[in-house]
Amino acid sequence: MIEDINPLIGKKHLKAIKHPFIDPISAMNIKKGKIVTAEEAIELIRDNDTIVTAGFIGSGFAEELAITLKERFLRTGRPRNLTLTYPAGQGDGKTKGLNHLALEGLVGRIICGHTGLTPGLGKLVNDNKILAYNVPMGAVTQLYRDIAAGKPGNLTHVGLGTFIDPRVDGGKLNELTKTEGEDLIILINVEGKDYLFYKSFPIHVALLRGTTADPDGNITMEKESMILDALAMAQAARNSGGVVIVQVERLADRGTLNAREVVIPGIMVDCVVVARPENHWQTFGEPYSAAFSCEHRVPMQAIPFMEMSTRKIVVRRAAFELKPNSIVNLGIGMPEGVSQVANEERILEYATLTAESGIIGGLPMGGLDFGAGINVDALITENYMFDFYDGGGLDIAFLGLAQADAEGNVNVSKFGPRFTGPGGFIDISQNAKKVCFVGTFTAGGIKTSVKDGRLRIEQEGREKKFVREVEQKTFSGRYAAENKQQVLYVTERCVFSLCEEGLELIEIAPGIDLESQVLALMDFKPVMRKPPRLMDERIFRLRRMGIKDDLLNIPMKDRFTYNAADNIFFINLENYYMKTSEEVQEMREVVGSILEPIGKKVHTIANYDNFNVSPHLVDEYVEMVKYAANFYESVTRYTTSTFLRMKLGDELEKRGVSPHIYESKEEARKVLAYDETL
């Protein structure tokens, strides 16, 4: 395999680079160590350098250094032909962030995850003035770590079937790149499976940001809203023979920083620049929030409710897909509203929201604060977050929907001549167990209202979003279908799901005419095995939907599952409180309907975590258990509650039922496996 890959890397990666650096003896003589002015630091950047910049919109972005680099170029015409590489979008969509560097001659190439917040760079791409590559955000964050480790590149499945795939565009954004640019992404087959190989390249300069630095260059980030990939970027530049420049807010004396709080060690830092306050905002939307830096938690009741709107209708329907204990990712834009609805419905505590920036738990922010969060449980680096995502750690992702086609493909990255890039969309959408795309049914000026639980279209959008073929394939419906991924497409008036044949229409809003307000506005006919059912009427009411009970109360039939391959019957009674005789009878009927047709006895595992039975129903419930036991070859029960193990165990034993209840699912499964070997 090494022989197959190495010729594709080129000598460029293997050749070390050397940059001028601050003479340590001179630095000690002037008693300031690595602390220099922004102008002195930027002087180290040379023509044709590859620069990596940290940042997530505005969080963690070294604004002072970007401004100084722009001013130097405008003053001297140098440096020229830089390559900019960065994972997330870094800008405010106007003038800040990498918009400072959108100057012809200064930039010759970009290798990035997102360009939507930097219209100046987008124009250079569209005008074929620079080479331009889009790569999935997670793949590039992991690539920086691989560059730091001296590896030839990053091998991953992320990007297969999308415009990133070399069999499509290879991530190349314009004709100049397609005709003159090298291939940075190649297709490799490993043991019969296709993968994409993202090739390493040297990093000459890293422009990073922290909060506090000492004269030795040790950097802490106590007031930053996220950690991002600063360490991996610093290591990549250092081990490429390059220069690491870090912008900070303040200085500390040598030896006073807590070693545990140092994110970038001084051995990797060449220059430290103290920024002006106006160029060191915590995010591009917030000068400083103690909640963003995890210094304190804020009351969730203080967060205002969303006003009823088309957007709220969409995210209300999406919120029905939340399940207890699920790990969730929310995309930028409309998907952010899912968290607001979850907070309104008092169900936010039952799921763990995450953001690709490294936020785990709490409430992710939106707009120019996107990537930051309040009341978070943990804050990790971007590359480790994508490791978790890529391995299947997400239960569900809520992502934007700009265009969809009959095959189930989704486009969120290209619209006419305008590129935005995928950001983390491809990594997240390809790897989440379930994906819920959210967006309006049509685009451009759509207006709706609700009355008596019914939806009215007051003004239709100007553009169709369900088209014959998406302009750019950011999500591959075929790849998802082949991998049996659950996918929903949620709009204000209808819901589609992904099936093997493509997009299937499964729900329609009350008040919407199927023919004139759905099918007539699509460029293709969706699959319809049966008439679509009505969307929940509560979505179209002004009051709270009350989905907390729905979330916590799993339907009886969904609490019992039979795995034919292993002949195991799973019973999930977690968080269930049995209060009526009708519920006991329903449970008996469900068990019988599943087990009677099998024709043989089954092994059974029952989860009794937080289960309870009303005292007056104990005898009736135990009789039902005896009935079910007639179908069991063996049974193991478990609960983490010591009280319930003792109480339920005693009641079962008194009534002649095997009483032992284990402490965990794993213990119960081990005992079952042991029994099967006898």
Side-chain angles (χ1 to χ4, degrees):
M1 202 66 225
I2 295 176
E3 292 178 357
D4 292 335
I5 296 175
N6 277 344
L8 298 165
I9 301 168
K11 296 180 180 178
K12 187 177 180 182
H13 170 68
L14 303 175
K15 184 179 179 182
I17 54 176
K18 294 296 179 184
H19 260 72
F21 56 89
I22 306 301
D23 183 338
I25 297 179
S26 300
M28 286 195 307
N29 288 339
I30 58 177
K31 297 183 179 179
K32 67 176 183 178
K34 298 177 180 180
I35 302 161
V36 299
T37 66
E39 291 75 15
E40 288 173 321
I42 294 302
E43 285 290 331
L44 298 177
I45 301 176
R46 305 179 301 186
D47 292 354
N48 304 310
D49 275 353
T50 294
I51 298 179
V52 64
T53 57
F56 199 102
I57 303 182
S59 299
F61 184 77
E63 182 81 351
E64 184 87 23
L65 300 179
I67 292 172
T68 306
L69 177 54
K70 173 186 68 175
E71 291 173 346
R72 181 192 171 201
F73 177 78
L74 294 175
R75 186 176 68 253
T76 68
R78 290 287 187 274
R80 300 186 65 80
N81 196 39
L82 300 178
T83 291
L84 300 182
T85 179
Y86 54 95
Q90 297 173 6
D92 62 349
K94 299 174 183 177
T95 60
K96 291 185 176 182
L98 288 175
N99 290 295
H100 292 297
L101 307 186
L103 301 169
E104 187 176 350
L106 174 63
V107 178
R109 183 174 68 160
I110 59 173
I111 305 169
C112 64
H114 195 273
T115 59
L117 297 171
T118 50
L121 288 175
K123 188 174 188 309
L124 293 176
V125 175
N126 292 334
D127 294 344
N128 279 295
K129 296 292 180 66
I130 63 175
L131 299 172
Y133 300 83
N134 262 160
V135 288
M137 181 179 162
V140 75
T141 64
Q142 294 159 345
L143 180 60
Y144 299 142
R145 192 170 54 196
D146 294 326
I147 294 171
K151 297 178 181 178
N154 178 27
L155 186 68
T156 176
H157 62 281
V158 172
L160 285 169
T162 72
F163 79 100
I164 300 296
D165 195 314
R167 293 167 291 189
V168 186
D169 290 328
K172 297 176 181 179
L173 296 184
N174 57 15
E175 287 304 313
L176 179 67
T177 313
K178 291 175 182 178
T179 56
E180 299 184 18
E182 64 177 308
D183 294 331
L184 295 182
I185 306 166
I186 58 177
L187 183 70
I188 290 180
N189 189 277
V190 180
E191 296 185 346
K193 292 187 65 175
D194 287 341
Y195 293 89
L196 297 183
F197 183 71
Y198 296 80
K199 294 159 60 177
S200 289
F201 48 84
I203 303 291
H204 303 98
V205 181
L207 300 182
L208 311 176
R209 195 178 96 172
T211 300
T212 309
D214 66 14
D216 295 325
N218 294 300
I219 308 294
T220 61
M221 294 188 172
E222 63 272 19
K223 294 180 71 175
E224 302 300 312
S225 60
M226 54 195 80
I227 305 169
L228 302 175
D229 298 300
L231 178 58
M233 291 174 175
Q235 290 175 325
R238 167 60 62 183
N239 288 349
S240 294
V243 172
V244 178
I245 304 170
V246 185
Q247 168 184 318
V248 297
E249 174 182 335
R250 59 195 181 188
L251 300 175
D253 198 3
R254 179 177 283 108
T256 61
L257 296 180
N258 186 327
R260 286 183 176 270
E261 295 179 358
V262 172
V263 176
I264 311 175
I267 59 171
M268 301 173 191
V269 176
D270 296 287
C271 302
V272 173
V273 174
V274 180
R276 290 168 290 184
E278 63 268 26
N279 295 329
H280 202 91
W281 278 32
Q282 192 179 39
T283 72
F284 281 153
E286 180 68 48
Y288 178 68
S289 165
F292 289 179
S293 57
C294 309
E295 292 180 58
H296 75 93
R297 300 176 75 87
V298 299
M300 298 296 273
Q301 295 84 347
I303 300 170
F305 278 25
M306 286 178 68
E307 293 185 6
M308 180 56 81
S309 62
T310 307
R311 180 191 183 206
K312 185 166 186 177
I313 292 169
V314 176
V315 296
R316 272 186 152 197
R317 169 59 186 86
F320 276 86
E321 300 305 313
L322 288 168
K323 296 292 183 282
N325 304 315
S326 55
I327 300 172
V328 183
N329 174 273
L330 301 177
I332 193 170
M334 185 173 285
E336 299 165 16
V338 175
S339 62
Q340 292 175 267
V341 169
N343 186 53
E344 291 177 19
E345 298 290 332
R346 302 293 185 259
I347 60 174
L348 195 58
E349 64 183 290
Y350 299 105
T352 301
L353 305 185
T354 70
E356 56 267 39
S357 58
I359 297 292
I360 298 176
L363 183 65
M365 296 290 97
L368 293 178
D369 297 326
F370 182 66
I374 60 173
N375 299 353
V376 303
D377 299 322
L379 187 60
I380 64 175
T381 63
E382 278 181 318
N383 45 35
Y384 278 115
M385 181 61 86
F386 279 106
D387 289 344
F388 179 67
Y389 285 173
D390 290 354
L394 278 174
D395 294 304
I396 186 168
F398 296 92
L399 301 170
L401 171 63
Q403 275 185 337
D405 63 23
E407 200 175 72
N409 302 315
V410 174
N411 170 33
V412 296
S413 53
K414 183 180 186 295
F415 312 96
R418 186 169 67 91
F419 298 96
T420 61
F425 183 96
I426 295 177
D427 312 80
I428 295 164
S429 64
Q430 284 194 331
N431 295 303
K433 296 180 180 70
K434 185 174 186 177
V435 183
C436 186
F437 295 113
V438 295
T440 56
F441 186 75
T442 57
I446 182 173
K447 294 180 181 178
T448 64
S449 64
V450 294
K451 186 176 181 180
D452 299 327
R454 298 171 70 83
L455 177 66
R456 293 181 177 181
I457 308 298
E458 305 290 350
Q459 178 177 302
E460 194 57 81
R462 297 183 296 274
E463 301 172 14
K464 293 180 181 179
K465 294 176 68 171
F466 289 85
V467 296
R468 192 164 304 281
E469 186 176 351
V470 294
E471 200 168 345
Q472 189 169 72
K473 198 182 294 185
T474 332
F475 173 81
S476 170
R478 182 171 297 176
Y479 182 83
E482 289 173 354
N483 287 280
K484 310 297 182 186
Q485 190 177 26
Q486 298 180 63
V487 185
L488 289 179
Y489 308 74
V490 175
T491 76
E492 80 287 347
R493 71 187 72 179
C494 59
V495 179
F496 302 88
S497 68
L498 183 67
C499 63
E500 290 185 2
E501 296 88 352
L503 224 56
E504 180 179 5
L505 180 61
I506 59 172
E507 294 181 25
I508 189 168
I512 293 297
D513 180 71
L514 175 61
E515 291 295 331
S516 64
Q517 294 179 306
V518 177
L519 299 181
L521 300 176
M522 300 176 68
D523 284 346
F524 60 91
K525 187 175 180 179
V527 176
M528 282 194 292
R529 294 186 175 90
K530 56 185 177 181
R533 62 182 178 271
L534 287 179
M535 295 167 67
D536 196 306
E537 188 185 62
R538 289 175 291 174
I539 298 168
F540 307 96
R541 302 276 184 188
L542 297 180
R543 59 181 178 270
R544 276 196 186 122
M545 296 186 293
I547 62 175
K548 183 175 180 178
D549 288 341
D550 296 347
L551 183 74
L552 298 181
N553 294 329
I554 303 171
M556 183 70 76
K557 62 182 178 60
D558 293 340
R559 291 181 176 274
F560 300 86
T561 305
Y562 174 63
N563 185 317
D566 297 328
N567 192 35
I568 297 178
F569 183 50
F570 293 98
I571 302 173
N572 176 22
L573 297 180
E574 185 171 359
N575 296 321
Y576 186 59
Y577 184 17
M578 186 166 284
K579 302 175 184 177
T580 67
S581 292
E582 289 76 15
E583 290 174 278
V584 178
Q585 183 58 35
E586 182 185 6
M587 184 176 291
R588 180 188 177 101
E589 291 172 359
V590 170
V591 170
S593 68
I594 296 174
L595 298 184
E596 283 184 10
I598 294 174
K600 62 180 180 181
K601 292 194 173 186
V602 301
H603 301 289
T604 301
I605 298 178
N607 173 9
Y608 280 99
D609 256 357
N610 298 316
F611 170 74
N612 208 347
V613 181
S614 183
H616 73 282
L617 292 174
V618 170
D619 287 336
E620 190 175 347
Y621 174 74
V622 172
E623 287 304 312
M624 190 278 299
V625 172
K626 286 182 177 180
Y627 162 76
N630 292 322
F631 301 101
Y632 299 162
E633 178 72 26
S634 64
V635 59
T636 56
R637 305 175 179 91
Y638 69 93
T639 175
T640 55
S641 167
T642 303
F643 172 76
L644 185 58
R645 280 200 305 275
M646 294 175 63
K647 177 183 175 183
L648 188 59
D650 288 345
E651 296 296 341
L652 291 172
E653 187 173 23
K654 280 191 292 186
R655 291 161 176 81
V657 179
S658 176
H660 195 76
I661 300 174
Y662 299 95
E663 295 185 30
S664 69
K665 181 179 181 180
E666 291 73 22
E667 185 181 353
R669 189 69 186 257
K670 284 179 182 177
V671 171
L672 181 62
Y674 174 76
D675 286 346
E676 289 176 333
T677 64
L678 297 180

